[in-house]
Each structure stands twice: as structure tokens, then as C-alpha cells.
Amino acid sequence: MKVFVLCNSDSLAIPTIAKLKEKEMLTGIGITTKRAEQQLLPQLLEIGLDEKPIVLNRKDCVDVIKRVVKKNEVDAVWVLTFPFIIPSELLHLPPKGFVNFHFGLLPNYKGADPIFWQIKNKEADGGVTIHQMTEEVDEGPVLLQEKMPIMPGETYGLHCVKLGTFTSDLIDRVVEIQTSKDSDFLSLKTNGSIIEKKPQEEDLQIDWGKYSAEEVECLVNATNPKYGGARTSMNDVLIRVLEVTPVNLSEAIEAEPGQIIMADATYGVIVACADMQCVRITMVQTADGYFSGVKLFNMGFVQGHKFG
């Protein structure tokens, strides 16, 4: 089977692309921006890609994909993290159609960036749902769905690396299903946890007055590295929190949520959360660079100061 891949991610897509090439099934790759090309090209060359990926734009995307599919006699187009809507005139052009690799467990977490939402919402499992594409976003017959645990403390970036490798191991099963004459597609039931929007700035903000220590940690993990950390501030200075560690104190604390209850050159900065549990800030980014929690203390972040 000849497969053309549309992608916009490295860690989620490269392992699958590498295996398709190894199996001599890859006919080409389409990406969306020069920035994506700069990010992906070195890794694609490393796996021995014969031709540079095709850079697509919204204006001529349809015509270019049509030409590629016809010229290379493509059997199926596999879509991994591709941001453009695929119009109906393309969906049935290749004999085996377009197949979407959705990095979440449909029908929950439809739409943009399910990985962010799953980590933020403390889900025990992520995974991948592989389905035939239709005109409706993240709808269509499901070929395969597999869960992958989200481990405690797992960041967005680490989850993507693991999930990319995990997905590449499913290639043979996907091809078998696509080429079988008697494929049984899965029927999935929703439990009401559907989220369809890309995270907005307010979704990236730490609400110290509302979030428990566990919720702060999950938000921080969900924003590292794709969104550059969870947002907070002190004295009108934006601080992006990249890593925290929950702290269990032996004594009850008396502090407002967001307030620094301890700061020193050994443990750095420890902050109270809404559940009166605490997190230790271990890594942040500001306009001046990246800093450890200890360096925050050395910069003047001391007990009694409060994050906004």
C-alpha cells in the first residue's frame, strides 16, 4: 500500500514516517509551514528521506494534494496533527481514503490538542484513535483505538515522545484493516467529556485561588513545552512555570493561595494552593531567561510574597 503523510509535528509523526519508509510504503510528506519544515527536515533527513517534504498553504493545498495523489497512485493519505480542514472533494480521491491519527480517545476530547486537555484534566490514559475521515471533524468509522497510560508527572513533551513510538507500532494493524475486504469498524460511546477548542490564554493561567496542588502540577505539565509553561505573575512580571513538585508538609499552613510559605537556598520557593497543599516551583521562564526555584529565591522571591 502506498501512503502519503500529512503532518505538522515531529515527535508524534516521525516514528510512523520512519516505519512507513522502512516498509517502502511512504510516497511523500506534506507539511504546512516553513517553520515546520525547519523543525522536521533535519529529523526526516536523519531517517533517510529521499525527497524534501512538500510545504502546503491554504490557498493551493487542495490542488497540490490532488496532484500528489494522482501522480504517485497513492492508496491512502494518513493525517498526523495536520491543522487544515480536508475538504470533501479530497477525502474519497485515494482508494482507501484519508485516515486521521487523533491523539486522544474519541469520541471524548474531539478537536484541537487533546493531549493538553487530557494531561490538564488528570486523565489516567491518553492514546490514539485511528479513523476514516469524513466532513465532520474527528468523526468517521474507527479502524483502531489504543490506550496509553499518562504517568504521574508526565509532561506534554514526554507524552508526545512516548505516544509517537507507541503509534508507530500500530502500522501493520492499520494497514491490515485498510486492505481487508471485511473490516469491522469500532463503535464508540461518549461519556460527556468532549472538548473541542484549542487552549486559550486563560486556560494556561494558574488560578491559585481555585486550583489544588495536583491541579497546578497537571496544568504545568500540560503546558511544557508546547505552550511555554503555565502562566502566573508577581509584581506585574509574567512568569511561565515549567516544573513544580507537590510538597506534603507535616504542619498545617496558614497562607493565602498563591502565597510563598517558604523560600531558601536549599528548597527554593514553596507556594500554597487552594486546597492548602503546596507545590515547590523548580523551573520557570521569564523574559530574562530560565531559572530554578533556588535562583528565584536568590532573585528576591521570599516568604510572604504572593503570585497573582
Side-chain angles (χ1 to χ4, degrees):
M1 190 167 79
K2 296 181 179 180
V3 178
F4 183 72
V5 174
L6 296 175
C7 71
N8 206 43
S9 167
D10 52 357
S11 55
L12 289 170
I14 294 281
T16 292
I17 291 170
K19 287 204 173 180
L20 286 173
K21 185 181 185 307
E22 180 183 320
K23 295 174 181 292
E24 299 183 345
M25 296 170 56
L26 183 69
T27 63
I29 301 167
I31 59 178
T32 57
T33 62
K34 286 290 184 182
R35 182 171 177 268
E37 183 182 27
Q38 293 170 358
Q39 178 185 7
L40 289 166
L41 188 56
Q43 297 180 66
L44 293 171
L45 293 175
E46 191 172 308
I47 64 174
L49 187 70
D50 299 322
E51 297 182 12
K52 291 179 65 174
I54 300 169
V55 180
L56 302 166
N57 58 63
R58 295 185 187 276
K59 183 178 180 180
D60 62 5
C61 178
V62 173
D63 292 335
V64 172
I65 293 175
K66 278 183 179 179
R67 288 198 299 269
V68 169
V69 169
K70 292 177 179 178
K71 177 183 176 181
N72 297 321
E73 299 180 332
V74 171
D75 295 304
V77 177
W78 287 8
V79 181
L80 296 96
T81 70
F82 193 71
F84 296 171
I85 298 295
I86 308 298
S88 56
E89 62 184 294
L90 285 180
L91 291 176
H92 303 290
L93 186 61
K96 302 298 181 182
F98 278 64
V99 173
N100 183 39
F101 287 66
H102 181 82
F103 293 101
L105 302 177
L106 294 175
N108 302 314
Y109 296 104
K110 293 170 58 178
D113 211 345
I115 292 173
F116 168 86
W117 292 110
Q118 289 169 137
I119 294 175
K120 180 181 184 295
N121 292 343
K122 303 182 290 182
E123 296 288 358
D125 296 301
V128 60
T129 306
I130 303 168
H131 67 95
Q132 292 287 150
M133 295 181 69
T134 66
E135 294 179 30
E136 297 294 325
V137 174
D138 294 331
E139 295 285 351
V142 174
L143 284 69
L144 190 64
Q145 183 179 81
E146 293 291 336
K147 293 182 179 180
M148 190 189 80
I150 300 173
M151 304 305 293
E154 191 161 282
T155 64
Y156 188 109
L158 179 57
H159 186 72
C160 286
V161 170
K162 292 169 58 180
L163 191 53
T165 301
F166 177 82
T167 301
S168 71
D169 290 335
L170 303 176
I171 285 178
D172 289 340
R173 292 169 63 187
V174 175
V175 172
E176 182 181 353
I177 293 169
Q178 281 206 279
T179 55
S180 172
K181 294 181 180 179
D182 302 309
S183 297
D184 291 326
F185 296 114
L186 301 178
S187 177
L188 304 175
K189 295 181 179 180
T190 182
N191 63 15
S193 299
I194 294 175
I195 295 176
E196 298 183 335
K197 66 186 181 72
K198 180 180 179 180
Q200 303 299 304
E201 192 63 31
E202 60 267 24
D203 298 313
L204 309 177
Q205 187 79 23
I206 300 175
D207 188 338
W208 294 104
K210 176 181 176 183
Y211 289 175
S212 67
E214 183 182 20
E215 289 170 330
V216 171
E217 183 188 23
C218 288
L219 174 61
V220 169
N221 289 338
T223 58
N224 182 7
K226 182 172 181 179
Y227 296 99
R231 288 17 169 200
T232 189
S233 63
M234 185 173 287
N235 299 326
D236 296 323
V237 175
L238 174 64
I239 300 168
R240 298 170 183 259
V241 184
L242 293 163
E243 185 178 79
V244 299
T245 302
V247 176
N248 292 319
L249 299 180
S250 58
E251 299 179 0
I253 62 173
E254 294 183 4
E256 297 180 19
Q259 189 171 12
I260 298 175
I261 64 162
M262 186 183 300
D264 60 29
T266 301
Y267 295 104
V269 173
I270 297 176
V271 186
C273 300
D275 59 350
M276 289 298 102
Q277 298 299 310
C278 303
V279 292
R280 180 163 68 95
I281 296 178
T282 54
M283 184 62 66
V284 302
Q285 179 188 12
T286 72
D288 299 313
Y290 294 86
F291 303 98
S292 67
V294 170
K295 286 187 176 179
L296 283 181
F297 166 71
N298 293 332
M299 291 164 59
F301 288 64
V302 297
Q303 184 175 344
H305 288 186
K306 186 177 177 183
F307 289 99

